[in-house]
PDB file of all heavy atoms in Angstrom:
ATOM      1  N   VAL A  29       9.645  -0.417 -22.915  1.00 85.00           N
ATOM      2  CA  VAL A  29       8.945   0.080 -21.722  1.00 85.00           C
ATOM      3  C   VAL A  29       9.966   0.535 -20.682  1.00 85.00           C
ATOM      4  O   VAL A  29       9.778   1.615 -20.066  1.00 85.00           O
ATOM      5  CB  VAL A  29       8.042  -0.985 -21.099  1.00 85.00           C
ATOM      6  CG1 VAL A  29       7.506  -0.573 -19.787  1.00 85.00           C
ATOM      7  CG2 VAL A  29       6.948  -1.344 -22.101  1.00 85.00           C
ATOM      8  N   ILE A  30      11.131  -0.153 -20.502  1.00 87.00           N
ATOM      9  CA  ILE A  30      12.174   0.294 -19.596  1.00 87.00           C
ATOM     10  C   ILE A  30      12.689   1.687 -20.009  1.00 87.00           C
ATOM     11  O   ILE A  30      12.853   2.532 -19.116  1.00 87.00           O
ATOM     12  CB  ILE A  30      13.251  -0.730 -19.514  1.00 87.00           C
ATOM     13  CG1 ILE A  30      12.863  -2.000 -18.795  1.00 87.00           C
ATOM     14  CG2 ILE A  30      14.562  -0.166 -18.866  1.00 87.00           C
ATOM     15  CD1 ILE A  30      13.834  -3.179 -18.913  1.00 87.00           C
ATOM     16  N   LEU A  31      12.930   1.861 -21.246  1.00 92.00           N
ATOM     17  CA  LEU A  31      13.391   3.135 -21.695  1.00 92.00           C
ATOM     18  C   LEU A  31      12.411   4.256 -21.420  1.00 92.00           C
ATOM     19  O   LEU A  31      12.781   5.303 -20.851  1.00 92.00           O
ATOM     20  CB  LEU A  31      13.720   3.128 -23.243  1.00 92.00           C
ATOM     21  CG  LEU A  31      14.253   4.347 -23.838  1.00 92.00           C
ATOM     22  CD1 LEU A  31      15.633   4.686 -23.217  1.00 92.00           C
ATOM     23  CD2 LEU A  31      14.459   4.157 -25.322  1.00 92.00           C
ATOM     24  N   ALA A  32      11.145   4.066 -21.754  1.00 94.00           N
ATOM     25  CA  ALA A  32      10.062   5.042 -21.486  1.00 94.00           C
ATOM     26  C   ALA A  32       9.934   5.286 -19.957  1.00 94.00           C
ATOM     27  O   ALA A  32       9.867   6.466 -19.522  1.00 94.00           O
ATOM     28  CB  ALA A  32       8.787   4.633 -22.143  1.00 94.00           C
ATOM     29  N   ASP A  33       9.889   4.229 -19.213  1.00 91.00           N
ATOM     30  CA  ASP A  33       9.709   4.376 -17.783  1.00 91.00           C
ATOM     31  C   ASP A  33      10.823   5.056 -17.105  1.00 91.00           C
ATOM     32  O   ASP A  33      10.651   5.872 -16.179  1.00 91.00           O
ATOM     33  CB  ASP A  33       9.524   2.954 -17.094  1.00 91.00           C
ATOM     34  CG  ASP A  33       8.160   2.347 -17.332  1.00 91.00           C
ATOM     35  OD1 ASP A  33       7.296   3.048 -17.906  1.00 91.00           O
ATOM     36  OD2 ASP A  33       8.005   1.189 -16.968  1.00 91.00           O
ATOM     37  N   SER A  34      12.041   4.732 -17.544  1.00 94.00           N
ATOM     38  CA  SER A  34      13.221   5.432 -16.910  1.00 94.00           C
ATOM     39  C   SER A  34      13.203   6.934 -17.125  1.00 94.00           C
ATOM     40  O   SER A  34      13.541   7.668 -16.268  1.00 94.00           O
ATOM     41  CB  SER A  34      14.512   4.824 -17.413  1.00 94.00           C
ATOM     42  OG  SER A  34      14.676   5.013 -18.784  1.00 94.00           O
ATOM     43  N   ILE A  35      12.806   7.328 -18.299  1.00 96.00           N
ATOM     44  CA  ILE A  35      12.723   8.791 -18.594  1.00 96.00           C
ATOM     45  C   ILE A  35      11.654   9.435 -17.721  1.00 96.00           C
ATOM     46  O   ILE A  35      11.913  10.498 -17.157  1.00 96.00           O
ATOM     47  CB  ILE A  35      12.416   8.988 -20.105  1.00 96.00           C
ATOM     48  CG1 ILE A  35      13.676   8.584 -20.940  1.00 96.00           C
ATOM     49  CG2 ILE A  35      12.034  10.471 -20.369  1.00 96.00           C
ATOM     50  CD1 ILE A  35      13.357   8.458 -22.450  1.00 96.00           C
ATOM     51  N   ILE A  36      10.529   8.774 -17.648  1.00 95.00           N
ATOM     52  CA  ILE A  36       9.390   9.353 -16.834  1.00 95.00           C
ATOM     53  C   ILE A  36       9.743   9.381 -15.348  1.00 95.00           C
ATOM     54  O   ILE A  36       9.603  10.439 -14.720  1.00 95.00           O
ATOM     55  CB  ILE A  36       8.103   8.541 -17.064  1.00 95.00           C
ATOM     56  CG1 ILE A  36       7.642   8.776 -18.525  1.00 95.00           C
ATOM     57  CG2 ILE A  36       7.021   8.975 -16.108  1.00 95.00           C
ATOM     58  CD1 ILE A  36       6.549   7.773 -18.946  1.00 95.00           C
ATOM     59  N   VAL A  37      10.226   8.260 -14.783  1.00 95.00           N
ATOM     60  CA  VAL A  37      10.531   8.190 -13.350  1.00 95.00           C
ATOM     61  C   VAL A  37      11.630   9.201 -12.975  1.00 95.00           C
ATOM     62  O   VAL A  37      11.532   9.855 -12.006  1.00 95.00           O
ATOM     63  CB  VAL A  37      10.910   6.773 -12.915  1.00 95.00           C
ATOM     64  CG1 VAL A  37      11.353   6.738 -11.476  1.00 95.00           C
ATOM     65  CG2 VAL A  37       9.693   5.826 -13.091  1.00 95.00           C
ATOM     66  N   PHE A  38      12.656   9.232 -13.826  1.00 97.00           N
ATOM     67  CA  PHE A  38      13.771  10.150 -13.547  1.00 97.00           C
ATOM     68  C   PHE A  38      13.288  11.625 -13.646  1.00 97.00           C
ATOM     69  O   PHE A  38      13.733  12.484 -12.825  1.00 97.00           O
ATOM     70  CB  PHE A  38      14.983   9.938 -14.419  1.00 97.00           C
ATOM     71  CG  PHE A  38      16.121  10.774 -14.019  1.00 97.00           C
ATOM     72  CD1 PHE A  38      16.920  10.469 -12.872  1.00 97.00           C
ATOM     73  CD2 PHE A  38      16.500  11.891 -14.768  1.00 97.00           C
ATOM     74  CE1 PHE A  38      17.971  11.262 -12.510  1.00 97.00           C
ATOM     75  CE2 PHE A  38      17.528  12.737 -14.411  1.00 97.00           C
ATOM     76  CZ  PHE A  38      18.266  12.393 -13.280  1.00 97.00           C
ATOM     77  N   ALA A  39      12.450  11.919 -14.569  1.00 97.00           N
ATOM     78  CA  ALA A  39      11.983  13.270 -14.730  1.00 97.00           C
ATOM     79  C   ALA A  39      11.166  13.702 -13.511  1.00 97.00           C
ATOM     80  O   ALA A  39      11.214  14.854 -13.130  1.00 97.00           O
ATOM     81  CB  ALA A  39      11.080  13.398 -16.015  1.00 97.00           C
ATOM     82  N   ILE A  40      10.520  12.763 -12.855  1.00 96.00           N
ATOM     83  CA  ILE A  40       9.707  13.067 -11.710  1.00 96.00           C
ATOM     84  C   ILE A  40      10.541  13.107 -10.427  1.00 96.00           C
ATOM     85  O   ILE A  40      10.440  14.009  -9.686  1.00 96.00           O
ATOM     86  CB  ILE A  40       8.574  12.046 -11.502  1.00 96.00           C
ATOM     87  CG1 ILE A  40       7.514  12.186 -12.604  1.00 96.00           C
ATOM     88  CG2 ILE A  40       7.871  12.176 -10.175  1.00 96.00           C
ATOM     89  CD1 ILE A  40       6.524  11.090 -12.730  1.00 96.00           C
ATOM     90  N   THR A  41      11.499  12.150 -10.287  1.00 96.00           N
ATOM     91  CA  THR A  41      12.209  12.052  -9.044  1.00 96.00           C
ATOM     92  C   THR A  41      13.571  12.751  -9.034  1.00 96.00           C
ATOM     93  O   THR A  41      14.055  13.124  -7.964  1.00 96.00           O
ATOM     94  CB  THR A  41      12.457  10.552  -8.700  1.00 96.00           C
ATOM     95  OG1 THR A  41      13.282  10.004  -9.710  1.00 96.00           O
ATOM     96  CG2 THR A  41      11.186   9.774  -8.555  1.00 96.00           C
ATOM     97  N   HIS A  42      14.240  12.836 -10.158  1.00 97.00           N
ATOM     98  CA  HIS A  42      15.575  13.333 -10.327  1.00 97.00           C
ATOM     99  C   HIS A  42      16.584  12.517  -9.484  1.00 97.00           C
ATOM    100  O   HIS A  42      17.592  13.066  -9.011  1.00 97.00           O
ATOM    101  CB  HIS A  42      15.652  14.813  -9.971  1.00 97.00           C
ATOM    102  CG  HIS A  42      14.814  15.676 -10.845  1.00 97.00           C
ATOM    103  ND1 HIS A  42      15.131  15.933 -12.182  1.00 97.00           N
ATOM    104  CD2 HIS A  42      13.609  16.280 -10.710  1.00 97.00           C
ATOM    105  CE1 HIS A  42      14.212  16.691 -12.742  1.00 97.00           C
ATOM    106  NE2 HIS A  42      13.243  16.894 -11.854  1.00 97.00           N
ATOM    107  N   ARG A  43      16.259  11.267  -9.291  1.00 97.00           N
ATOM    108  CA  ARG A  43      17.112  10.379  -8.459  1.00 97.00           C
ATOM    109  C   ARG A  43      17.405   9.124  -9.260  1.00 97.00           C
ATOM    110  O   ARG A  43      16.481   8.366  -9.603  1.00 97.00           O
ATOM    111  CB  ARG A  43      16.498  10.043  -7.150  1.00 97.00           C
ATOM    112  CG  ARG A  43      16.458  11.182  -6.170  1.00 97.00           C
ATOM    113  CD  ARG A  43      15.876  10.817  -4.876  1.00 97.00           C
ATOM    114  NE  ARG A  43      16.485   9.648  -4.252  1.00 97.00           N
ATOM    115  CZ  ARG A  43      16.004   9.030  -3.172  1.00 97.00           C
ATOM    116  NH1 ARG A  43      14.891   9.433  -2.651  1.00 97.00           N
ATOM    117  NH2 ARG A  43      16.672   8.006  -2.783  1.00 97.00           N
ATOM    118  N   PHE A  44      18.667   8.829  -9.499  1.00 96.00           N
ATOM    119  CA  PHE A  44      19.058   7.617 -10.208  1.00 96.00           C
ATOM    120  C   PHE A  44      18.710   6.391  -9.381  1.00 96.00           C
ATOM    121  O   PHE A  44      18.265   5.337  -9.980  1.00 96.00           O
ATOM    122  CB  PHE A  44      20.573   7.600 -10.596  1.00 96.00           C
ATOM    123  CG  PHE A  44      20.873   8.594 -11.699  1.00 96.00           C
ATOM    124  CD1 PHE A  44      21.617   9.713 -11.369  1.00 96.00           C
ATOM    125  CD2 PHE A  44      20.447   8.375 -13.002  1.00 96.00           C
ATOM    126  CE1 PHE A  44      21.965  10.621 -12.423  1.00 96.00           C
ATOM    127  CE2 PHE A  44      20.770   9.273 -14.003  1.00 96.00           C
ATOM    128  CZ  PHE A  44      21.486  10.378 -13.752  1.00 96.00           C
ATOM    129  N   ASP A  45      19.036   6.409  -8.053  1.00 96.00           N
ATOM    130  CA  ASP A  45      18.783   5.201  -7.280  1.00 96.00           C
ATOM    131  C   ASP A  45      17.350   4.813  -7.175  1.00 96.00           C
ATOM    132  O   ASP A  45      16.925   3.648  -7.354  1.00 96.00           O
ATOM    133  CB  ASP A  45      19.357   5.388  -5.865  1.00 96.00           C
ATOM    134  CG  ASP A  45      18.755   6.579  -5.080  1.00 96.00           C
ATOM    135  OD1 ASP A  45      18.273   7.516  -5.722  1.00 96.00           O
ATOM    136  OD2 ASP A  45      18.759   6.520  -3.864  1.00 96.00           O
ATOM    137  N   LEU A  46      16.439   5.748  -7.025  1.00 96.00           N
ATOM    138  CA  LEU A  46      15.052   5.503  -7.021  1.00 96.00           C
ATOM    139  C   LEU A  46      14.502   5.062  -8.328  1.00 96.00           C
ATOM    140  O   LEU A  46      13.729   4.097  -8.465  1.00 96.00           O
ATOM    141  CB  LEU A  46      14.231   6.765  -6.495  1.00 96.00           C
ATOM    142  CG  LEU A  46      12.814   6.533  -6.215  1.00 96.00           C
ATOM    143  CD1 LEU A  46      12.535   5.416  -5.199  1.00 96.00           C
ATOM    144  CD2 LEU A  46      12.186   7.868  -5.697  1.00 96.00           C
ATOM    145  N   THR A  47      14.979   5.686  -9.340  1.00 96.00           N
ATOM    146  CA  THR A  47      14.619   5.264 -10.759  1.00 96.00           C
ATOM    147  C   THR A  47      15.021   3.838 -11.048  1.00 96.00           C
ATOM    148  O   THR A  47      14.178   3.055 -11.536  1.00 96.00           O
ATOM    149  CB  THR A  47      15.264   6.227 -11.792  1.00 96.00           C
ATOM    150  OG1 THR A  47      14.847   7.566 -11.587  1.00 96.00           O
ATOM    151  CG2 THR A  47      14.904   5.833 -13.235  1.00 96.00           C
ATOM    152  N   LEU A  48      16.195   3.466 -10.714  1.00 95.00           N
ATOM    153  CA  LEU A  48      16.632   2.109 -10.863  1.00 95.00           C
ATOM    154  C   LEU A  48      15.859   1.075 -10.077  1.00 95.00           C
ATOM    155  O   LEU A  48      15.466   0.047 -10.621  1.00 95.00           O
ATOM    156  CB  LEU A  48      18.146   1.951 -10.484  1.00 95.00           C
ATOM    157  CG  LEU A  48      18.822   0.657 -10.776  1.00 95.00           C
ATOM    158  CD1 LEU A  48      18.787   0.311 -12.273  1.00 95.00           C
ATOM    159  CD2 LEU A  48      20.277   0.661 -10.303  1.00 95.00           C
ATOM    160  N   GLY A  49      15.549   1.399  -8.796  1.00 95.00           N
ATOM    161  CA  GLY A  49      14.755   0.470  -8.029  1.00 95.00           C
ATOM    162  C   GLY A  49      13.392   0.271  -8.578  1.00 95.00           C
ATOM    163  O   GLY A  49      12.855  -0.866  -8.604  1.00 95.00           O
ATOM    164  N   VAL A  50      12.705   1.341  -8.974  1.00 93.00           N
ATOM    165  CA  VAL A  50      11.359   1.233  -9.554  1.00 93.00           C
ATOM    166  C   VAL A  50      11.407   0.366 -10.836  1.00 93.00           C
ATOM    167  O   VAL A  50      10.571  -0.496 -11.082  1.00 93.00           O
ATOM    168  CB  VAL A  50      10.792   2.625  -9.800  1.00 93.00           C
ATOM    169  CG1 VAL A  50       9.556   2.554 -10.680  1.00 93.00           C
ATOM    170  CG2 VAL A  50      10.470   3.328  -8.509  1.00 93.00           C
ATOM    171  N   LEU A  51      12.397   0.660 -11.707  1.00 91.00           N
ATOM    172  CA  LEU A  51      12.509  -0.035 -12.938  1.00 91.00           C
ATOM    173  C   LEU A  51      12.798  -1.555 -12.715  1.00 91.00           C
ATOM    174  O   LEU A  51      12.175  -2.344 -13.432  1.00 91.00           O
ATOM    175  CB  LEU A  51      13.613   0.567 -13.808  1.00 91.00           C
ATOM    176  CG  LEU A  51      13.349   1.923 -14.324  1.00 91.00           C
ATOM    177  CD1 LEU A  51      14.585   2.489 -15.084  1.00 91.00           C
ATOM    178  CD2 LEU A  51      12.144   1.964 -15.172  1.00 91.00           C
ATOM    179  N   ILE A  52      13.620  -1.863 -11.847  1.00 90.00           N
ATOM    180  CA  ILE A  52      13.948  -3.281 -11.619  1.00 90.00           C
ATOM    181  C   ILE A  52      12.680  -4.059 -11.173  1.00 90.00           C
ATOM    182  O   ILE A  52      12.365  -5.075 -11.755  1.00 90.00           O
ATOM    183  CB  ILE A  52      15.112  -3.434 -10.607  1.00 90.00           C
ATOM    184  CG1 ILE A  52      16.400  -2.979 -11.264  1.00 90.00           C
ATOM    185  CG2 ILE A  52      15.245  -4.895 -10.127  1.00 90.00           C
ATOM    186  CD1 ILE A  52      17.560  -2.905 -10.281  1.00 90.00           C
ATOM    187  N   ILE A  53      12.041  -3.569 -10.095  1.00 92.00           N
ATOM    188  CA  ILE A  53      10.880  -4.265  -9.580  1.00 92.00           C
ATOM    189  C   ILE A  53       9.754  -4.341 -10.605  1.00 92.00           C
ATOM    190  O   ILE A  53       9.167  -5.384 -10.884  1.00 92.00           O
ATOM    191  CB  ILE A  53      10.418  -3.610  -8.276  1.00 92.00           C
ATOM    192  CG1 ILE A  53      11.499  -3.830  -7.209  1.00 92.00           C
ATOM    193  CG2 ILE A  53       9.081  -4.166  -7.871  1.00 92.00           C
ATOM    194  CD1 ILE A  53      11.295  -2.998  -5.924  1.00 92.00           C
ATOM    195  N   SER A  54       9.484  -3.171 -11.151  1.00 89.00           N
ATOM    196  CA  SER A  54       8.318  -3.100 -12.130  1.00 89.00           C
ATOM    197  C   SER A  54       8.536  -3.944 -13.385  1.00 89.00           C
ATOM    198  O   SER A  54       7.639  -4.607 -13.819  1.00 89.00           O
ATOM    199  CB  SER A  54       8.148  -1.628 -12.547  1.00 89.00           C
ATOM    200  OG  SER A  54       7.220  -1.487 -13.545  1.00 89.00           O
ATOM    201  N   ASN A  55       9.723  -3.918 -13.944  1.00 78.00           N
ATOM    202  CA  ASN A  55       9.943  -4.557 -15.190  1.00 78.00           C
ATOM    203  C   ASN A  55      10.131  -6.101 -15.077  1.00 78.00           C
ATOM    204  O   ASN A  55       9.743  -6.820 -15.986  1.00 78.00           O
ATOM    205  CB  ASN A  55      11.060  -3.916 -15.977  1.00 78.00           C
ATOM    206  CG  ASN A  55      10.545  -2.555 -16.498  1.00 78.00           C
ATOM    207  OD1 ASN A  55       9.718  -2.485 -17.398  1.00 78.00           O
ATOM    208  ND2 ASN A  55      10.975  -1.487 -15.903  1.00 78.00           N
ATOM    209  N   ILE A  56      10.706  -6.548 -14.030  1.00 86.00           N
ATOM    210  CA  ILE A  56      10.827  -8.007 -13.850  1.00 86.00           C
ATOM    211  C   ILE A  56       9.413  -8.601 -13.676  1.00 86.00           C
ATOM    212  O   ILE A  56       9.080  -9.582 -14.330  1.00 86.00           O
ATOM    213  CB  ILE A  56      11.694  -8.352 -12.654  1.00 86.00           C
ATOM    214  CG1 ILE A  56      13.175  -8.060 -13.032  1.00 86.00           C
ATOM    215  CG2 ILE A  56      11.583  -9.861 -12.306  1.00 86.00           C
ATOM    216  CD1 ILE A  56      14.164  -8.205 -11.825  1.00 86.00           C
ATOM    217  N   SER A  57       8.626  -7.991 -12.833  1.00 89.00           N
ATOM    218  CA  SER A  57       7.261  -8.580 -12.653  1.00 89.00           C
ATOM    219  C   SER A  57       6.408  -8.414 -13.925  1.00 89.00           C
ATOM    220  O   SER A  57       5.662  -9.344 -14.284  1.00 89.00           O
ATOM    221  CB  SER A  57       6.578  -7.864 -11.445  1.00 89.00           C
ATOM    222  OG  SER A  57       6.437  -6.459 -11.674  1.00 89.00           O
ATOM    223  N   SER A  58       6.511  -7.296 -14.593  1.00 82.00           N
ATOM    224  CA  SER A  58       5.785  -7.078 -15.819  1.00 82.00           C
ATOM    225  C   SER A  58       6.182  -8.019 -16.975  1.00 82.00           C
ATOM    226  O   SER A  58       5.343  -8.533 -17.690  1.00 82.00           O
ATOM    227  CB  SER A  58       5.967  -5.700 -16.319  1.00 82.00           C
ATOM    228  OG  SER A  58       5.354  -4.815 -15.448  1.00 82.00           O
ATOM    229  N   THR A  59       7.482  -8.375 -17.046  1.00 80.00           N
ATOM    230  CA  THR A  59       7.935  -9.286 -18.067  1.00 80.00           C
ATOM    231  C   THR A  59       7.401 -10.685 -17.820  1.00 80.00           C
ATOM    232  O   THR A  59       6.907 -11.340 -18.764  1.00 80.00           O
ATOM    233  CB  THR A  59       9.508  -9.358 -18.077  1.00 80.00           C
ATOM    234  OG1 THR A  59      10.003  -8.020 -18.323  1.00 80.00           O
ATOM    235  CG2 THR A  59      10.040 -10.318 -19.092  1.00 80.00           C
ATOM    236  N   ILE A  60       7.346 -11.122 -16.581  1.00 91.00           N
ATOM    237  CA  ILE A  60       6.816 -12.466 -16.241  1.00 91.00           C
ATOM    238  C   ILE A  60       5.350 -12.507 -16.578  1.00 91.00           C
ATOM    239  O   ILE A  60       4.901 -13.401 -17.158  1.00 91.00           O
ATOM    240  CB  ILE A  60       7.122 -12.794 -14.777  1.00 91.00           C
ATOM    241  CG1 ILE A  60       8.616 -12.974 -14.603  1.00 91.00           C
ATOM    242  CG2 ILE A  60       6.372 -14.012 -14.308  1.00 91.00           C
ATOM    243  CD1 ILE A  60       9.105 -12.991 -13.125  1.00 91.00           C
ATOM    244  N   LEU A  61       4.603 -11.470 -16.146  1.00 91.00           N
ATOM    245  CA  LEU A  61       3.175 -11.438 -16.407  1.00 91.00           C
ATOM    246  C   LEU A  61       2.868 -11.361 -17.879  1.00 91.00           C
ATOM    247  O   LEU A  61       1.955 -12.089 -18.350  1.00 91.00           O
ATOM    248  CB  LEU A  61       2.522 -10.220 -15.710  1.00 91.00           C
ATOM    249  CG  LEU A  61       2.450 -10.321 -14.197  1.00 91.00           C
ATOM    250  CD1 LEU A  61       1.991  -8.964 -13.591  1.00 91.00           C
ATOM    251  CD2 LEU A  61       1.509 -11.463 -13.771  1.00 91.00           C
ATOM    252  N   TYR A  62       3.624 -10.612 -18.658  1.00 83.00           N
ATOM    253  CA  TYR A  62       3.449 -10.577 -20.095  1.00 83.00           C
ATOM    254  C   TYR A  62       3.678 -11.924 -20.733  1.00 83.00           C
ATOM    255  O   TYR A  62       2.861 -12.326 -21.610  1.00 83.00           O
ATOM    256  CB  TYR A  62       4.327  -9.464 -20.728  1.00 83.00           C
ATOM    257  CG  TYR A  62       4.144  -9.388 -22.219  1.00 83.00           C
ATOM    258  CD1 TYR A  62       3.096  -8.683 -22.808  1.00 83.00           C
ATOM    259  CD2 TYR A  62       5.027 -10.068 -23.098  1.00 83.00           C
ATOM    260  CE1 TYR A  62       2.921  -8.630 -24.140  1.00 83.00           C
ATOM    261  CE2 TYR A  62       4.872  -9.992 -24.486  1.00 83.00           C
ATOM    262  CZ  TYR A  62       3.823  -9.241 -24.971  1.00 83.00           C
ATOM    263  OH  TYR A  62       3.647  -9.176 -26.358  1.00 83.00           O
ATOM    264  N   PHE A  63       4.746 -12.588 -20.385  1.00 89.00           N
ATOM    265  CA  PHE A  63       5.007 -13.851 -20.891  1.00 89.00           C
ATOM    266  C   PHE A  63       3.904 -14.866 -20.679  1.00 89.00           C
ATOM    267  O   PHE A  63       3.457 -15.643 -21.554  1.00 89.00           O
ATOM    268  CB  PHE A  63       6.373 -14.461 -20.448  1.00 89.00           C
ATOM    269  CG  PHE A  63       6.722 -15.754 -20.880  1.00 89.00           C
ATOM    270  CD1 PHE A  63       7.177 -15.953 -22.195  1.00 89.00           C
ATOM    271  CD2 PHE A  63       6.574 -16.921 -20.054  1.00 89.00           C
ATOM    272  CE1 PHE A  63       7.498 -17.250 -22.681  1.00 89.00           C
ATOM    273  CE2 PHE A  63       6.867 -18.158 -20.504  1.00 89.00           C
ATOM    274  CZ  PHE A  63       7.345 -18.347 -21.798  1.00 89.00           C
ATOM    275  N   LEU A  64       3.429 -14.885 -19.430  1.00 93.00           N
ATOM    276  CA  LEU A  64       2.354 -15.804 -19.013  1.00 93.00           C
ATOM    277  C   LEU A  64       1.084 -15.454 -19.827  1.00 93.00           C
ATOM    278  O   LEU A  64       0.395 -16.351 -20.248  1.00 93.00           O
ATOM    279  CB  LEU A  64       2.078 -15.730 -17.509  1.00 93.00           C
ATOM    280  CG  LEU A  64       3.207 -16.268 -16.667  1.00 93.00           C
ATOM    281  CD1 LEU A  64       2.944 -16.037 -15.220  1.00 93.00           C
ATOM    282  CD2 LEU A  64       3.478 -17.754 -16.920  1.00 93.00           C
ATOM    283  N   HIS A  65       0.813 -14.210 -19.992  1.00 92.00           N
ATOM    284  CA  HIS A  65      -0.343 -13.759 -20.714  1.00 92.00           C
ATOM    285  C   HIS A  65      -0.266 -14.262 -22.193  1.00 92.00           C
ATOM    286  O   HIS A  65      -1.254 -14.717 -22.776  1.00 92.00           O
ATOM    287  CB  HIS A  65      -0.399 -12.204 -20.698  1.00 92.00           C
ATOM    288  CG  HIS A  65      -1.483 -11.577 -21.493  1.00 92.00           C
ATOM    289  ND1 HIS A  65      -1.322 -11.133 -22.784  1.00 92.00           N
ATOM    290  CD2 HIS A  65      -2.813 -11.427 -21.198  1.00 92.00           C
ATOM    291  CE1 HIS A  65      -2.461 -10.636 -23.193  1.00 92.00           C
ATOM    292  NE2 HIS A  65      -3.375 -10.820 -22.288  1.00 92.00           N
TER     293      HIS A  65
END
């Protein structure tokens, strides 16, 4: 998911810093939720 999300977010924003921020927040929370699920 990180790989797919990074491609999509970077394609939209063209910014590495914004892409990294979105990926960190989104994927940490999603990993925890998936594990609990």
Side-chain angles (χ1 to χ4, degrees):
V29 171
I30 288 168
L31 183 61
D33 285 352
S34 63
I35 292 168
I36 294 166
V37 174
F38 185 75
I40 293 169
T41 65
H42 299 285
R43 289 182 53 191
F44 288 111
D45 60 334
L46 189 55
T47 299
L48 185 60
V50 168
L51 291 176
I52 289 170
I53 293 167
S54 173
N55 288 290
I56 288 173
S57 62
S58 294
T59 300
I60 292 167
L61 290 172
Y62 179 82
F63 178 76
L64 294 173
H65 177 263

